[in-house]
Amino acid sequence: MARMKSRWQWLIETAVRKLWFRASLFSLFAVATALVAPIASPRIPPEWSALVGADALDNVLGIIASSMLTVTIFSLTTMVSAYASAASTVTPRATRLLLEDATSQNAMSTFLGAFLFSLVGIIALSTGVYGDSGRLVLFGATVFVIVVIVVTLLRWISHLSTLGRMGDTINRVERAARQAFEDRIAMPCLGGRPPGEVPASAKAVHGHAIGYVKHVDMNALQAAAGEAGSVWVAALPGAFVHRTQPLAWTDFDDEARCKAVREAFTVGDSRTYDQDPRFGLVVLAEIASRALSPAVNDPGTAIDILGTGVRVLDRWCGERGRSDGPSDPGEDLPYPSVRVPPLSADDLFEDLFAPIARDGAGTVEVGIRLQKSLAMLADAGGHEVKRAARRMSATALEHARPALTRAADRERLAELAKRVGAR
């Protein structure tokens, strides 16, 4: 039975994505490789020991040290420029995905690790730690490091051609959003039950922090509720909460258990993509809104975002159409004592389409693609999706009518709006 990540698992996974983690790991490995030579030297046959001179090895390590320091500084400058470009031309909310880019982290970690490897090797050679056999082992490790540097440089050069570009950033946001929706499709209520009605006697559990809910530890909520209790989640990941707003409702009043419920919610200053599918849609809408601003005036990007949004939402709408709303699946759940609201089609359509309908009201091409996108999703979904699509179609038409100057354009959009959810 699939289960959600606990708070500690999520924190560890988040730390692993950071640049410092991978750089530290590569650096420790590089230093350990340089220091292992004296340990491995007794296994080297004596006749092999004189094959490598100390001066030759010292020169090679000096070249690696100086070049890797230069490459590391250049790569850092390039990455900072790419992040600044993405923040100014796309949206600052997308730069987090660039910071977690595995290729960039591997390149930086390899260059920094190679620099430290050569630095430790030079220091050890100058102190005479290695000896003849140790120098041979260090030479073999140096050849391996050079091969890794060459392969990494080739991948890094190819990667730089797309890093921070509009299309690459949109693709990253799409992948993050689709993964979040896939996880939610597998567990519509995060592995719990649909909420039902909260009893009047339920106790509200408030948080101590103000910010966005970044993660909900369903394992901790189930443990706090036990088999006899129930927890109603009131703040889904992505919700902005205040101390006066309840994070959850419980049917028990035990202070220790209520504290465990409170600590199951991780609240921070910004939203994350992991448990929050709506955040990916919000970021996509921000990219489209910036493209439609008078300063940029790029309706093609907004049209591209609408296509991306259809790809992201298509499977969720199809699954919602097959079930027409979540039903209580009985006891075959990892967290049967926790009740969680499912995603709402109205909220999802509002997140993605409402800003584009407002900012692209005066561009008929954007309005046409918007109505067609809503029609596609309405055809793929059930009653709830069709209602949400029709409602958003009417809103978009209201925005477009006063903004479009040609009557023919207004009539064409009205005709397309009639087709949304008609089949």
Side-chain angles (χ1 to χ4, degrees), residues 52-68 114 117-119 121-122 125 138-146 149:
V52 180
D55 293 338
L57 189 55
D58 186 69
N59 291 335
V60 173
L61 290 174
I63 293 172
I64 294 176
S66 59
S67 60
M68 285 301 99
F117 166 82
S118 57
L119 198 62
I122 291 172
L125 278 176
L138 183 62
F139 177 77
T142 303
V143 172
F144 174 76
V145 169
I146 291 173
I149 290 172

Side-chain angles (χ1 to χ4, degrees), residues 100-112:
E100 296 175 355
D101 176 53
T103 303
S104 301
Q105 291 186 1
N106 286 338
M108 288 299 306
S109 303
T110 300
F111 300 150
L112 182 59

Side-chain angles (χ1 to χ4, degrees), residues 86-166:
S88 60
T89 61
V90 187
T91 172
R93 260 64 61 187
T95 55
R96 185 182 298 112
L97 297 175
L98 295 177
L99 291 170
E100 296 175 355
D101 176 53
T103 303
S104 301
Q105 291 186 1
N106 286 338
M108 288 299 306
S109 303
T110 300
F111 300 150
L112 182 59
F115 169 73
L116 291 177
F117 166 82
S118 57
L119 198 62
V120 172
I122 291 172
I123 294 173
L125 278 176
S126 62
T127 56
V129 171
Y130 289 123
D132 293 339
S133 299
R135 285 200 304 270
L136 185 60
V137 176
L138 183 62
F139 177 77
T142 303
V143 172
F144 174 76
V145 169
I146 291 173
V147 173
V148 172
I149 290 172
V150 171
V151 174
T152 304
L153 271 174
L154 292 175
R155 293 186 61 194
W156 180 230
I157 292 170
S158 174
H159 190 63
L160 284 178
S161 62
T162 59
L163 184 65
R165 302 298 187 270
M166 176 73 74

Side-chain angles (χ1 to χ4, degrees), residues 399-413:
H399 282 297
R401 275 176 174 154
L404 294 174
T405 57
R406 294 180 69 245
D409 292 338
R410 295 193 294 269
E411 292 173 3
R412 187 177 181 188
L413 284 184

Side-chain angles (χ1 to χ4, degrees), residues 31-79:
V31 172
T33 303
L35 295 178
V36 79
I39 301 174
S41 58
R43 301 177 181 273
I44 304 299
E47 59 272 15
W48 293 6
S49 301
L51 293 179
V52 180
D55 293 338
L57 189 55
D58 186 69
N59 291 335
V60 173
L61 290 174
I63 293 172
I64 294 176
S66 59
S67 60
M68 285 301 99
L69 182 60
T70 304
V71 170
T72 301
I73 295 173
F74 167 76
S75 300
L76 276 174
T77 304
T78 304
M79 289 171 62

Side-chain angles (χ1 to χ4, degrees), residues 257-269:
R257 295 166 69 187
C258 290
K259 180 181 178 182
V261 170
R262 183 180 301 110
E263 292 177 349
F265 291 81
T266 302
V267 179
D269 296 335

